[in-house]
């Protein structure tokens, strides 16, 4: 394995996190790093990987290793993608463009948030069809903007839409509330900039503890606005005014019957419809029933329901339910190449990383994201070699054991 050309300040994702820490202002750092409530699910996402150990096989000629895998019709260098995360220009002035350039250079799929600070057309242009772009969708209760966004994504050549399904309301993120987090005036939620041109007076801070649709811009004709999202026997009024993540991202009305079928029709045939935020076998079966093209096991990086199962712990029941009928991806807490190996051994087809890309951006823009991808890719390749595996498809349960709290080792 090549050992040359290291950034000696940054030899691991842990190093990268520390380096990024000093390069972000407090509001950005808290917004990026925080989990919901006490943050226990965020931590458990990371810790869950420590419950498994690898069973290495030897004397297998590992001189040639192929880490690549096909995803959305493209060859990805490793089974790792950059997860959609909102507002990347908070971390670096090039924001999503830097991420796109890094992904293109490294042959890595990229997920673009609906709430990006760069338009989907600009990101697509940057990649010129070299990597499969995925649009993460917050499907607005008010449909016109979402309809337009989907049409634009199709035109720009996006391969898939990941409908985020774990945000009927925004999770309670106390630092975000304390800091009165808002997008600075020089940045825009670019995918909706045109829609907002006439009325955009900027974002409003998240200052209260209410479910998100009770925040600014949402008027519900309910008796008590603090229970927004439920129309108490009276008319429901859609969000109005500028499109901000405080007003539009969460949608408490989303449902399998009403929305998945609608979305499939809108996207068909150009883009695949996936659901991001599945954490149970029951919902995995519903996803199959509604014929989505794939699922992402995710708890939104621990930013939504705190107390939910770590994604690695939720993965096996989802994999069992799906039985290979559609791809199962996973995200949350992946910080090492060995984590990628473990997730694949437990049945994931592919993993996505969120915060590490933001830390890379904050550290050195495009170069920092490339560094992050390089670290994870090299660690993954080395892990495969030392475990005695030469192709990604060979990674399976037999390479793992589970170790419980008292140190008892069990086969899977
Ligand atoms: C700052 C931040 C912003 C995010 N924005 C979005 C988003 O716009 N849409 C979405 O579906 N998920 C969003 N996510 C969740 C990620 O897509 C992903 O599920 C999560 O970051 C994975 O966990 P990890 O950060 O531990 O890798 C965001 C996560 C973070 C940390
Ligand atoms: C636009 C936001 C709701 C982004 C998001 O998903 C997050 O902050 O976790």
């Amino acid at each position: 394995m090549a050992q040359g050309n290291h950034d000696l300040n940054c030899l691991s994702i842990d190093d990268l996190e520390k380096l990024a820490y000093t390069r972000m202002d407090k509001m950005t750092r808290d917004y990026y790093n925080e989990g919901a409530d006490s943050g226990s699910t965020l931590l458990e996402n990371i810790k869950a990987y420590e419950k498994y150990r690898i069973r290495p096989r030897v004397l297998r000629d590992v001189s040639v290793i192929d880490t690549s895998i096909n995803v959305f019709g493209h060859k990805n260098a490793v089974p790792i993608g950059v997860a959609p995360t909102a507002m990347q220009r908070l971390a670096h002035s090039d924001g999503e463009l830097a991420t796109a350039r890094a992904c293109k250079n490294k042959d890595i799929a990229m997920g673009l948030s609906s709430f990006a600070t760069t338009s989907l057309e600009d990101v697509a242009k940057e990649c010129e069809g070299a990597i499969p772009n995925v649009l993460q969708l917050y499907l607005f209760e008010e449909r016109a903007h979402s309809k337009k966004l989907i049409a634009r994504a199709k035109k720009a050549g996006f391969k898939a839409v990941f409908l985020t399904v774990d945000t009927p309301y925004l999770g309670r993120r106390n630092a975000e509330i304390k800091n009165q987090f808002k997008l600075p005036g020089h940045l825009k939620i670019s995918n909706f900039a045109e829609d907002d041109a006439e009325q955009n007076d900027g974002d409003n801070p998240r200052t209260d503890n209410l479910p998100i649709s009770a925040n600014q811009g949402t008027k519900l004709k309910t008796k008590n606005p603090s229970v927004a999202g439920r129309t108490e026997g009276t008319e429901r009024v859609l969000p109005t005014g500028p499109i901000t993540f405080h007003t539009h991202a969460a949608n408490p009305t989303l449902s399998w019957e009403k929305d998945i079928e609608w979305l499939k029709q809108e996207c068909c045939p150009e883009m695949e419809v996936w659901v991001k935020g599945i954490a149970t076998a029951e919902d995995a079966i519903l996803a199959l029933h509604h014929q989505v093209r794939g699922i992402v096991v995710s708890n939104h990086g621990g930013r939504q329901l705190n107390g939910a199962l770590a994604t690695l712990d939720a993965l096996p029941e989802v994999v069992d339910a799906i039985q290979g009928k559609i791809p199962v991806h996973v995200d949350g807490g992946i910080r090492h190449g060995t984590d990628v190996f473990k997730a694949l051994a437990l049945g994931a087809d592919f993993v996505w990383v969120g915060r590490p890309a933001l830390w890379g951006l904050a550290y050195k823009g495009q170069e920092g994201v490339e560094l992050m991808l390089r670290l994870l890719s090299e660690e993954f390749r080395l892990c495969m070699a030392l475990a005695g595996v030469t192709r990604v498809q060979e990674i399976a349960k037999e390479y793992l054991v589970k170790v419980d709290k008292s140190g008892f080792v069990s086969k899977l």
Side-chain angles (χ1 to χ4, degrees):
M1 302 274 139
Q3 296 283 325
N5 289 331
H6 287 295
D7 175 341
L8 296 180
N9 293 313
C10 187
L11 293 171
S12 66
I13 303 299
D14 283 352
D15 285 349
L16 185 61
E17 179 175 3
K18 288 187 192 103
L19 288 163
Y21 193 87
T22 56
R23 286 170 164 80
M24 290 185 273
D25 59 55
K26 179 169 164 43
M27 191 186 72
T28 299
R29 189 166 62 226
D30 284 351
Y31 169 64
Y32 282 175
N33 288 354
E34 151 170 77
D37 301 285
S38 71
S40 60
T41 295
L42 163 63
L43 287 179
E44 282 174 16
N45 275 351
I46 297 168
K47 286 257 166 219
Y49 284 91
E50 291 173 12
K51 291 188 249 181
Y52 294 90
R53 302 285 190 278
I54 297 166
R55 300 179 66 238
R57 301 297 309 278
V58 296
L59 291 170
R60 281 185 156 186
D61 187 355
V62 288
S63 53
V64 179
I65 306 268
D66 183 2
T67 60
S68 70
I69 187 160
N70 280 323
V71 65
F72 308 112
H74 280 249
K75 188 171 167 181
N76 220 68
V78 279
I80 304 171
V82 172
T85 55
M87 301 180 260
Q88 297 187 356
R89 284 186 202 263
L90 285 171
H92 187 275
S93 55
D94 294 341
E96 293 82 2
L97 282 183
T99 306
R101 289 174 190 139
C103 287
K104 181 181 171 189
N105 283 350
K106 296 282 176 191
D107 290 322
I108 295 286
M110 172 177 172
L112 182 72
S113 170
S114 281
F115 282 82
T117 38
T118 308
S119 74
L120 64 85
E121 286 84 0
D122 287 348
V123 168
K125 222 183 290 160
E126 202 60 51
C127 304
E128 294 168 356
I131 56 164
N133 283 315
V134 170
L135 177 69
Q136 175 275 329
L137 190 70
Y138 280 119
L139 184 53
F140 298 167
E141 191 172 353
E142 163 285 300
R143 278 291 156 75
H145 293 297
S146 298
K147 215 173 148 72
K148 238 199 261 178
L149 193 70
I150 292 164
R152 284 168 52 198
K154 280 199 219 177
K155 194 164 167 217
F158 278 68
K159 298 287 177 216
V161 160
F162 280 7
L163 176 68
T164 298
V165 294
D166 54 17
T167 48
Y169 295 93
L170 273 198
R172 178 166 170 129
R173 306 168 193 168
N174 288 326
E176 198 183 299
I177 295 167
K178 256 187 221 155
N179 295 337
Q180 304 203 0
F181 174 80
K182 66 180 281 198
L183 196 61
H186 68 286
L187 297 179
K188 277 201 187 84
I189 298 300
S190 304
N191 283 325
F192 305 110
E194 264 180 35
D195 311 60
D196 276 349
E198 283 153 31
Q199 51 184 351
N200 198 350
D201 54 2
D203 196 2
N204 291 314
R206 183 176 182 187
T207 54
D208 56 40
N209 301 332
L210 301 179
I212 201 65
S213 56
N215 277 347
Q216 296 86 352
T218 305
K219 292 191 195 88
L220 295 178
K221 287 184 185 166
T222 61
K223 289 182 205 115
N224 173 5
S226 74
V227 289
R230 279 177 253 142
T231 43
E232 295 179 337
T234 51
E235 194 184 340
R236 187 174 176 83
V237 177
L238 299 177
T240 55
I243 296 171
T244 73
F245 85 88
H246 294 130
T247 54
H248 282 68
N251 177 355
T253 70
L254 278 191
S255 73
W256 288 107
E257 288 74 21
K258 176 169 60 67
D259 298 295
I260 300 293
E261 297 309 323
W262 180 87
L263 184 58
K264 281 189 339 204
Q265 275 179 16
E266 287 296 311
C267 292
C268 184
E270 292 93 334
M271 296 190 295
E272 299 183 6
V273 172
W274 288 49
V275 281
K276 171 176 181 284
I278 297 294
T280 62
E282 292 90 326
D283 281 337
I285 288 165
L286 281 168
L288 277 182
H289 175 74
H290 287 278
Q291 297 179 320
V292 301
R293 296 287 290 275
I295 61 186
V296 184
V297 175
S298 175
N299 54 32
H300 216 104
R303 295 162 73 78
Q304 286 297 110
L305 177 60
N306 195 51
L309 209 54
T311 46
L312 192 72
D313 293 333
L315 179 65
E317 68 172 272
V318 172
V319 167
D320 281 353
I322 294 294
Q323 293 189 350
K325 291 182 182 129
I326 53 174
V328 176
H329 294 189
V330 68
D331 72 19
I334 291 155
R335 306 289 183 262
H336 306 276
T338 50
D339 297 343
V340 181
F341 186 93
K342 289 174 185 177
L344 266 56
L346 285 176
D349 296 294
F350 193 84
V351 309
W352 296 84
V353 293
R355 290 178 185 84
L358 297 171
W359 298 331
L361 267 182
Y363 177 44
K364 278 191 181 171
Q366 175 187 346
E367 201 185 321
V369 181
E370 287 184 14
L371 173 63
M372 180 281 288
L373 291 171
R374 179 185 159 185
L375 290 171
L376 280 182
S377 303
E378 284 181 359
E379 287 176 5
F380 176 63
R381 174 182 292 272
L382 183 60
C383 175
M384 281 178 67
L386 296 179
V389 174
T390 55
R391 289 170 56 249
V392 170
Q393 294 72 12
E394 292 163 13
I395 302 171
K397 258 189 201 162
E398 74 224 39
Y399 289 94
L400 284 194
V401 283
K402 196 167 186 180
V403 183
D404 73 13
K405 277 188 187 141
S406 56
F408 181 77
V409 176
S410 52
K411 282 205 163 182
L412 301 179

